[in-house]
Amino acid sequence: TPLVHFMAQDLPYSIQFFMIRPQQKKQKEVNRFRDALAVGQDVVTIGGIHGTIKNIDGNIITLKVATGVEIRVEKAAINPNGTQPAQA
């Protein structure tokens, strides 16, 4: 029957198209955002800490969060939803 054919052959492609591909696209956007981070940029971490990027060393970012206070975080801890993209 056509329904069985759809369930067996077409449903996996539908799942790929409607669920997996949008997630992969979003992940690529997040990766591009994190690769474009720059010294001097104001950012927000996933924990809600606001700071300014002082140094980027691979996947480690040093943030200045207050006068004389710096913290080191993973690049993945920078929240793309709470941070303005770097200006070109």
Side-chain angles (χ1 to χ4, degrees):
T1 65
L3 181 60
V4 172
H5 173 74
F6 173 77
M7 295 293 286
Q9 293 184 356
D10 297 336
L11 187 60
Y13 296 112
S14 298
I15 291 172
Q16 169 74 19
F17 185 75
F18 290 109
M19 296 177 72
I20 297 173
R21 288 208 40 210
Q23 182 61 32
Q24 288 173 338
K25 183 179 177 184
K26 183 172 177 68
Q27 187 60 45
K28 284 181 183 179
E29 290 173 8
V30 168
N31 289 341
R32 274 193 297 259
F33 165 81
R34 289 188 176 137
D35 289 341
L37 291 172
V39 173
Q41 184 178 355
D42 292 330
V43 296
V44 180
T45 68
I46 56 176
I49 299 171
H50 294 249
T52 303
I53 297 177
K54 182 174 180 187
N55 186 34
I56 300 174
D57 184 18
N59 285 330
I60 303 296
I61 294 180
T62 303
L63 294 179
K64 178 181 177 186
V65 294
T67 304
V69 180
E70 296 177 357
I71 60 172
R72 293 172 35 137
V73 297
E74 291 283 328
K75 190 180 272 190
I78 304 300
N79 186 358
N81 296 326
T83 302
Q84 296 296 323
Q87 299 298 321

